[in-house]
């Protein structure tokens, strides 16, 4: 049997789905297609745990240990999602780095595109933090909830993002400097120099073993 409830977040309403014991899905409700469920119950212990976790998270603090999670997916998807759960709060990594980690653990090759496909099918947003995976060039790339939500989640965690084009132009104009050359202001940002967190370089983030 499937159970659902909703959580009101600063970024919009979030739908929680459970099998009765663990959380199986979590997403922003406007991104979830209408679907029939067998039952709706709002007082499941796991829903209470997830709501408390989200309260702490949206207050701008690391909630720590996760509630029981049971995402459904293939063996490869599960391996990628396990790595996502190991990305520390307030840090980011890249699709390429995850691919290299899996390739080293299993032998052979692994493409960043394959990893991206598994990341994109993550059914439990935020708690399995697919928003912490960025492009090699520092770009935010895709996110099921929208890039605006991905950026908001990273900023909430204290990740230092490069300024948007609008922010760059506004800052320059406030200093009374002429409008910068478009090629310079909109050029790709090197993630190793700008996308850093309070703990230092992104490249030092340890990843869990691949089973």
């Amino acid at each position: 049997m499937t159970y659902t409830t909703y959580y009101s977040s600063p970024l919009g309403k979030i739908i929680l789905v459970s099998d009765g014991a663990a959380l199986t899905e979590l997403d922003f409700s406007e991104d979830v297609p209408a679907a029939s469920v067998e039952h709706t119950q709002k007082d499941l212990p796991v829903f209470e745990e997830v709501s408390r976790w989200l309260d702490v998270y949206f207050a701008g603090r690391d909630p720590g240990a996760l509630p029981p999670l049971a995402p459904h997916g293939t063996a490869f998807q599960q391996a990628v999602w396990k790595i996502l759960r190991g990305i520390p709060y307030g840090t980011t990594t890249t699709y390429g780095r995850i691919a290299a980690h899996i390739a080293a653990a299993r032998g052979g090759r692994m493409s960043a595109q394959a990893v991206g496909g598994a990341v994109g099918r993550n059914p439990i947003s935020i708690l399995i933090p697919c928003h912490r995976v960025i492009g090699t060039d520092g770009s935010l790339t895709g996110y099921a909830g929208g890039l605006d939500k991905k950026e908001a989640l990273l900023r909430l965690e204290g990740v230092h993002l490069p300024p948007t084009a609008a922010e760059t132009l506004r800052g320059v104009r406030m200093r009374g400097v002429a409008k910068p050359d478009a090629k310079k202001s909109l050029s790709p940002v090197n993630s190793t120099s700008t996308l850093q967190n309070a703990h230092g370089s992104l490249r030092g983030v340890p990843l869990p073993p691949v089973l």
Side-chain angles (χ1 to χ4, degrees):
M1 184 174 287
T2 300
Y3 302 89
T4 63
T5 192
Y6 291 90
Y7 176 89
S8 295
S9 83
L11 300 180
K13 186 179 288 186
I14 292 174
I15 186 171
L16 314 181
V17 182
S18 172
D19 58 9
L23 189 72
T24 57
E25 296 178 46
L26 183 150
D27 209 341
F28 292 96
S29 59
E30 64 266 27
D31 303 314
V32 178
S36 60
V37 294
E38 296 179 41
H39 188 63
T40 298
Q41 180 174 331
K42 295 186 177 181
D43 58 355
L44 287 175
V46 67
F47 287 156
E48 295 176 2
E49 284 188 65
V50 173
S51 294
R52 287 195 297 269
W53 193 98
L54 291 171
D55 286 345
V56 175
Y57 181 83
F58 282 111
R61 304 192 304 274
D62 182 358
L66 292 168
L69 306 180
H72 301 297
T74 66
F76 174 69
Q77 289 169 347
Q78 295 284 357
V80 172
W81 300 339
K82 181 177 181 180
I83 290 174
L84 297 184
R85 289 196 292 271
I87 304 173
Y89 178 92
T91 68
T92 61
T93 192
T94 67
Y95 299 95
R97 187 163 184 265
I98 294 175
H101 179 72
I102 294 175
R106 294 183 171 183
R109 296 181 178 181
M110 176 59 58
S111 71
Q113 289 77 13
V115 169
V119 171
R121 289 177 175 81
N122 169 30
I124 304 180
S125 297
I126 305 178
L127 282 80
I128 299 180
C130 52
H131 62 277
R132 294 177 190 158
V133 185
I134 61 174
T136 302
D137 63 353
S139 60
L140 295 185
T141 66
Y143 185 63
L147 291 182
D148 57 332
K149 290 186 174 68
K150 182 171 185 173
E151 179 178 351
L153 294 173
L154 291 174
R155 290 190 185 280
L156 178 66
E157 295 182 17
V159 175
H160 301 305
L161 299 174
T164 64
E167 290 171 337
T168 300
L169 292 176
R170 184 166 58 248
V172 169
R173 287 168 180 167
M174 287 178 65
R175 293 194 299 270
V177 180
K179 182 177 178 180
D181 181 77
K183 292 183 179 180
K184 294 182 180 179
S185 62
L186 299 179
S187 59
V189 181
N190 187 314
S191 61
T192 60
S193 62
T194 60
L195 279 178
Q196 294 186 346
N197 55 72
H199 305 292
S201 172
L202 304 179
R203 296 188 181 277
V205 175
L207 295 175
V210 178
L211 299 180

